[in-house]
Amino acid sequence: MRTLYVSDLDGTLLRSDERTSGYTNRTVNRLVGEGMLFSYATARSFQTARKVTAGLEAEIPLIVYNGAAVADHRDGSFLQMNFFGGEAAEILDELEACGVFPIVYAVAGGREMFSYLPARCTRGMRAFLETRKNDRRANPVATRRTLRAGDIFYFTCIDEREKLLPLYEKYREQYHCVFQVDLYTREQWLEIMPKAASKASAALWLKSSLGCGRLVVFGDGENDVDLFEAADEAYAVANAADVLKAVATGVIGANDEDGVARWLDAHARCAAQTRGGV
């Protein structure tokens, strides 16, 4: 029975410096070379995920945008995707009525892009955009109309908790929403995706596509709960949120201790030796 191993990135596979360590890279690469099937599931895009995992050779599709998309590991092209329909315009109208102007992720003319109104950026948005300098997806626009261009699949709102909480309560049942404080900047984020988009659904799609019989996952945040519930085994790193530890199979070493890689080195290797493959 083949096993697919899927790890969250930030706070889990990545250390606090937002990078995979040399130990993690060497360990995962060796195990992949021995036949382990390994991927990651992240809120990041393909482009930014590849930067922070430089040196990691995951040679199967990658789960990005919190599961809104599955990307080819070679060029980032989307293999599986969830888009909004006409409701995207309604969401934008409602957000703008509340004084919230999101970063809007879309595909237009085959180009993946994120659009935003520079004049309406909050402090948190500016800090985020500063980390995306020279990103080919960046699309600053001048009007609300052009903010709506393309086929939209993701909204990121970075603003005051008091403004975002009512919107989260409004949308949480209708769409897939992630409402949390950013791990690094401590800014409040609200991310809104189509209902079918989730790390869990993307991981199950990938599990089926690869013909795997088992799914083992790793994470640290509340937004990993659905992934944990879909898995056969789920391990929370020591620095994980209590709500995630409560639904985990077990707790392993912290992200800054290379907890995921050390668990894989002990358990995935044993599985390969016992069954003649992972």
Side-chain angles (χ1 to χ4, degrees):
M1 184 183 296
R2 304 177 81 198
T3 299
L4 171 63
Y5 297 91
V6 176
S7 178
D8 170 59
L9 284 186
D10 292 279
T12 305
L13 197 67
L14 303 185
R15 288 194 165 202
S16 296
D17 63 359
E18 298 186 63
R19 293 289 187 276
T20 48
S21 71
Y23 172 82
T24 287
N25 289 345
R26 291 191 300 273
T27 301
V28 173
N29 290 346
R30 171 171 50 80
L31 291 170
V32 167
E34 294 171 0
M36 179 180 72
L37 293 177
F38 178 84
S39 185
Y40 53 71
T42 178
R44 293 174 179 266
S45 67
F46 170 82
Q47 289 84 353
T48 58
R50 292 287 281 182
K51 288 179 182 178
V52 298
T53 59
L56 187 69
E57 298 170 4
E59 297 185 352
I60 61 175
L62 306 172
I63 299 167
V64 294
Y65 290 118
N66 266 322
V70 178
D72 188 294
H73 74 279
R74 293 162 295 191
D75 60 8
S77 58
F78 293 139
L79 303 175
Q80 194 258 4
M81 193 69 186
N82 293 277
F83 290 101
F84 287 104
E87 69 271 24
E90 297 174 8
I91 295 171
L92 274 169
D93 286 340
E94 292 170 341
L95 292 177
E96 291 171 3
C98 295
V100 175
F101 295 85
I103 299 170
V104 181
Y105 292 81
V107 175
R111 175 196 171 198
E112 182 186 349
M113 62 186 185
F114 60 83
S115 303
Y116 59 94
L117 287 162
R120 294 288 190 169
C121 285
T122 62
R123 178 191 63 190
M125 291 171 68
R126 290 193 295 271
F128 170 79
L129 292 167
E130 184 67 22
T131 68
R132 301 300 188 268
K133 272 188 173 180
N134 302 317
D135 193 313
R136 60 183 176 81
R137 298 170 300 144
N139 183 45
V141 298
T143 67
R144 297 180 185 180
R145 181 180 61 81
T146 50
L147 192 62
R148 302 161 186 253
D151 296 316
I152 297 172
F153 62 89
Y154 205 99
F155 295 102
T156 295
C157 310
I158 311 174
D159 213 313
E160 298 171 5
R161 176 182 172 84
E162 293 73 16
K163 290 174 68 175
L164 297 181
L165 181 56
L167 291 165
Y168 171 64
E169 296 294 347
K170 177 182 179 66
Y171 293 131
R172 62 186 300 182
E173 299 299 330
Q174 190 174 358
Y175 305 110
H176 179 204
C177 297
V178 177
F179 183 70
Q180 64 184 10
V181 173
D182 181 69
L183 183 63
Y184 305 108
T185 66
R186 311 311 298 170
E187 295 281 352
Q188 182 67 56
W189 286 44
L190 169 60
E191 295 164 287
I192 307 170
M193 294 150 272
K195 185 67 173 179
S198 70
K199 288 184 179 180
S201 60
L204 291 173
W205 180 88
L206 188 54
K207 174 187 173 185
S208 176
S209 297
L210 296 171
C212 293
R214 297 177 68 249
L215 174 65
V216 177
V217 303
F218 307 88
D220 76 303
E222 188 172 349
N223 66 323
D224 294 318
V225 168
D226 69 310
L227 181 63
F228 272 40
E229 292 176 340
D232 297 285
E233 294 180 31
Y235 296 93
V237 287
N239 52 288
D242 289 342
V243 67
L244 192 67
K245 290 178 180 177
V247 297
T249 305
V251 178
I252 62 175
N255 66 320
D256 284 331
E257 300 168 349
D258 298 308
V260 173
R262 294 187 186 282
W263 188 96
L264 289 170
D265 196 25
H267 296 83
R269 178 196 289 179
C270 290
Q273 292 173 341
T274 301
R275 297 194 295 267
V278 178

